[in-house]
Amino acid sequence: NWSGWPENKKFALVLTHDVEFKRGQDKCFDLATIESNLGFCSSFNFVPERYQVSEELRTWLVTEGFEVGVHGLHHDGKLFQSEEVFQERAIKINQYLNQWQAKGFRAPAMHHNLDWILRYLNVEYDLSTFDTDPFEPQSDGVGTIFPFLVADHGVHGQYVELPYTLPQDHGLFIILQEKNADIWKRKLDWIVEKGGMALLNTHPDYLYFGKGKLGVEEFPVEHYAGFLEWVRTTYKDEFWHALPGEVATFYREQDDHEYQAVSK
């Protein structure tokens, strides 16, 4: 029952980044500049209490049309250890969401419990799931390449879940040692055929910008930039490029229209 994307575009393209460490934060400006020069924008998710998150960087990103989100709290693998732990940490996560004026959240390592997020986090969208990814520690994919609503009939509100649908960069270039972005391209072609959402999660931490020696867990930024250039030329004017918050807003508006139509 998918009603389609704005302006009858064939598919949606959503770019997101998880900033794991300070070294990743130090690369955010260069990454955002590359994207901006190619005509793209993205969301950057920062870990509030693992490193000192730069207020200057956050402000600059939002000013330049990017989006900022919260990526866990400590990134220590314990966020979903128990509901009590999650509820306790959610208090601080909500404080950062409010302080940063952020709409969305993504849990570290893609750990997830959608019901707990619904109960305890004040978010408009969540990015902690995927369509399918056997390399994730909690590898239960949601099995869809579309956004979907998580709600409990008004008791705790609702939010839009946005699963990533293209393989993460770490799995592709670090674990599998791929030397190009061909797998991204093939998966994207398939998503286009289905009219779905191509949501990509990459990490500034793993990007190599040609400064110094290539690290063990780094890959050339050209893999990512080249993929964006390929998308821009191959599917020119055929995709809706949006930030996660924009997709969530669009989905909720569509869902409201469908509800009203059914009610009538």
Side-chain angles (χ1 to χ4, degrees):
N1 297 320
W2 184 250
S3 58
W5 301 106
E7 300 177 7
N8 293 318
K9 299 296 185 179
K10 285 186 176 180
F11 67 102
L13 177 69
V14 186
L15 304 175
T16 70
H17 309 292
D18 290 347
V19 186
E20 309 281 271
F21 295 95
K22 183 183 181 299
R23 68 171 181 267
Q25 180 173 249
D26 293 341
K27 300 177 183 180
C28 287
F29 176 79
D30 289 341
L31 176 56
T33 300
I34 288 175
E35 290 178 330
S36 184
N37 289 339
L38 289 170
F40 294 93
C41 58
S42 60
S43 73
F44 286 80
N45 303 301
F46 297 98
V47 187
E49 298 189 0
R50 192 183 214 184
Y51 49 85
Q52 183 65 46
V53 178
S54 168
E55 181 179 354
E56 181 181 4
L57 175 61
R58 287 192 293 103
T59 301
W60 179 81
L61 286 168
V62 173
T63 301
E64 294 298 312
F66 292 81
E67 194 169 290
V68 168
V70 176
H71 187 37
L73 185 63
H74 304 299
H75 208 304
D76 59 2
K78 299 178 180 179
L79 181 60
F80 290 89
Q81 191 172 44
S82 70
E83 186 171 357
E84 182 180 4
V85 169
F86 187 87
Q87 184 177 6
E88 180 181 345
R89 294 190 178 191
I91 296 172
K92 280 193 171 183
I93 292 172
N94 284 329
Q95 290 173 352
Y96 286 110
L97 285 163
N98 182 61
Q99 179 184 338
W100 296 357
Q101 297 183 330
K103 302 176 182 178
F105 174 80
R106 177 181 275 145
M110 292 295 166
H111 291 151
H112 50 269
N113 183 313
L114 302 188
D115 184 52
W116 293 359
I117 292 172
L118 180 66
R119 292 183 189 180
Y120 302 116
L121 293 188
N122 302 324
V123 293
E124 294 183 17
Y125 68 84
D126 175 64
L127 299 162
S128 306
T129 59
F130 40 87
D131 60 342
T132 178
D133 191 336
F135 296 100
E136 287 302 321
Q138 185 181 344
S139 57
D140 54 334
V142 294
T144 181
I145 55 173
F146 294 92
F148 59 92
L149 192 70
V150 179
D152 58 0
H153 307 292
V155 179
H156 295 102
Q158 62 182 31
Y159 65 87
V160 178
E161 183 66 26
L162 304 172
Y164 72 75
T165 57
L166 294 172
Q168 288 198 58
D169 55 348
H170 185 271
L172 202 60
F173 300 116
I174 308 303
I175 296 177
L176 296 179
Q177 293 287 298
E178 291 292 322
K179 302 303 181 185
N180 55 55
D182 286 353
I183 290 178
W184 276 347
K185 294 176 182 178
R186 291 203 300 272
K187 180 67 180 292
L188 181 65
D189 286 339
W190 181 84
I191 291 172
V192 174
E193 290 178 11
K194 310 300 180 184
M197 175 181 65
L199 194 152
L200 178 59
N201 181 34
T202 54
H203 302 73
D205 305 76
Y206 307 137
L207 292 174
Y208 174 67
F209 288 87
K211 302 172 185 177
K213 185 179 179 181
L214 179 68
V216 175
E217 287 203 332
E218 287 186 327
F219 67 93
V221 68
E222 287 77 15
H223 290 357
Y224 177 66
F227 173 70
L228 295 185
E229 179 62 36
W230 176 83
V231 175
R232 186 176 71 163
T233 55
T234 304
Y235 291 106
K236 183 179 180 181
D237 300 325
E238 295 182 0
F239 62 93
W240 181 47
H241 179 42
L243 295 167
E246 294 172 330
V247 177
T249 297
F250 170 75
Y251 183 88
R252 280 195 307 272
E253 290 175 350
Q254 298 302 108
D255 187 69
D256 288 343
H257 293 329
E258 291 177 9
Y259 175 79
Q260 291 169 8
V262 171
S263 299
K264 291 177 181 178

